[in-house]
Amino acid sequence: MTTTETIIEVRGLGKSFGSLVAVDDVSFTIRRGEILGIAGPNGAGKTTLFNLITRNPFGPDRGEVVFDGHRIDRLKPHRIMRLGLARTFQKETSFAKLTVEQNIRLGGVYGAGLRGAALQAAIEATLEMLELAPLRNELAGSLPVFQTKHLMIASAMVARPRLLLLDEPASGLNSIEQADLQRLILRLRDSGTSILLIEHILPLLFGVSERVMVMDFGKKLTEGPPSEIARDPQVIEAYLGGKAMENLHAT
C-alpha cells in the first residue's frame, strides 16, 4: 500500500515486443528523499523500465504505477511530468541552436506549465543549482559533454520534479567529472527530489544510492543496500562481473 513516505510504487510492471519479454513483473517502491539505484548488464530492461514509468515513448502492457497517490500508467507523458515526475535520457540531448537559458525555459514551459515570474524564478534557481549561470547565453550546441549533461538535467529539474529518473548520466565522463556528478546528484536529493538512477559506473551508483536494484533479462534479480549487493556472489559473477566488483572494492 502506498504511504505518505512512498513517492512511487511500481507493481508487476511488464512489457513485451512480440515474443520478447523486455520487462517482466517488476515491482519496487521509492521513499521520499531516497535515491534508488538500478544496476544490470546492457539489455537487462533498465531503460525500458524508465520508458514504461514515464510512458515515453511507450507504456506498459501490464502492471500499475502509482506516483504520489496518482495512478499514472494510463496517463499521457506530459500529464505525468506535470504531476512532478521527470526523466533524462542516455544520449545527451539539447536544442543546439538555442542558448542554455532558452533550453531550460522550454523545460519549464512544457514540462511544468510555468509562466511569467514563476518561470523566471525557476530558471534562475535551476541555473544556480546546476552551475550553469555563467553559460546562460552560450549556445547549447557549443557545450562539451559534461556541461551538456548538466543542461539535460537542468531542463528536467526546472519543472521542480518530486521524482527524477536519471539514465546513465555518467557515461562518457572522466573520473573528475564523475566525482562532480556524484556531488550534484546528492545535492538534488538534498533539495527534496527523490531519484531513480540507472548507472554502469558502479562506484558512483553505490556511492549515492540507499538501495540498489539489480535487473537481468527484464526481471528484478535482487534488491538491497549497496554493501549487500556488492557482495552477493550471484550478482558478482553472473550480472555485474567479477572485474567490475573488484574495481568497486578497490575504490
Side-chain angles (χ1 to χ4, degrees):
M1 178 180 296
T2 302
T3 69
T4 56
E5 290 76 32
T6 300
I7 188 69
I8 193 168
E9 183 173 2
V10 175
R11 307 167 179 162
L13 216 57
K15 182 70 177 182
S16 298
F17 299 96
S19 60
L20 172 65
V21 181
V23 173
D24 189 2
D25 193 29
V26 172
S27 299
F28 63 90
T29 63
I30 301 175
R31 297 185 296 271
R32 296 181 191 276
E34 181 183 30
I35 300 175
L36 174 65
I38 303 180
N42 291 327
K46 304 183 300 297
T47 294
T48 301
L49 180 64
F50 272 25
N51 295 340
L52 302 186
I53 292 170
T54 61
R55 292 186 58 84
N56 182 6
F58 48 75
D61 296 333
R62 51 201 173 273
E64 298 180 355
V65 181
V66 178
F67 171 67
D68 209 14
H70 301 272
R71 183 171 174 183
I72 64 172
D73 51 273
R74 297 176 182 174
L75 298 181
K76 294 195 178 293
H78 75 278
R79 289 290 303 132
I80 294 172
M81 193 167 185
R82 294 286 175 92
L83 286 173
L85 193 159
R87 72 171 292 185
T88 65
F89 296 84
Q90 286 184 17
K91 182 176 175 57
E92 300 83 43
T93 56
S94 64
F95 293 96
K97 295 184 178 181
L98 298 181
T99 67
V100 166
E101 181 173 349
Q102 288 169 335
N103 270 268
I104 297 172
R105 184 177 298 275
L106 287 175
V109 171
Y110 294 103
L114 297 173
R115 298 290 189 276
L119 172 60
Q120 193 59 42
I123 292 171
E124 298 299 331
T126 304
L127 284 166
E128 289 299 322
M129 177 179 287
L130 274 295
E131 301 175 342
L132 292 170
L135 303 173
R136 67 192 306 153
N137 295 318
E138 298 291 327
L139 292 179
S142 70
L143 301 179
V145 170
F146 178 59
Q147 291 171 336
T148 301
K149 287 178 180 290
H150 272 58
L151 177 56
M152 186 165 58
I153 296 172
S155 296
M157 283 300 298
V158 71
R160 301 171 179 173
R162 292 187 296 282
L163 176 62
L164 177 64
L165 279 57
L166 295 174
D167 195 349
E168 296 188 31
S171 63
L173 302 184
N174 62 39
S175 59
I176 295 174
E177 292 167 340
Q178 290 171 20
D180 186 89
L181 177 66
Q182 180 168 334
R183 289 189 291 269
L184 171 61
I185 291 171
L186 293 173
R187 287 206 309 274
L188 297 180
R189 189 274 313 278
D190 292 343
S191 74
T193 301
S194 306
I195 295 173
L196 181 59
L197 171 65
I198 296 172
E199 187 51 70
H200 285 290
I201 309 298
L202 296 182
L204 189 155
L205 182 71
F206 282 53
V208 300
S209 301
E210 281 89 355
R211 291 180 295 133
V212 173
M213 178 174 74
V214 181
M215 293 183 64
D216 195 41
F217 294 107
K219 291 180 175 292
K220 173 180 171 179
L221 175 65
T222 188
E223 177 186 323
S227 58
E228 294 181 7
I229 297 299
R231 291 168 173 78
D232 186 317
Q234 185 180 20
V235 172
I236 292 171
E237 296 303 325
Y239 301 101
L240 297 182
K243 187 66 175 178
M245 302 308 290
E246 288 172 12
N247 292 339
L248 173 63
H249 290 307
T251 60

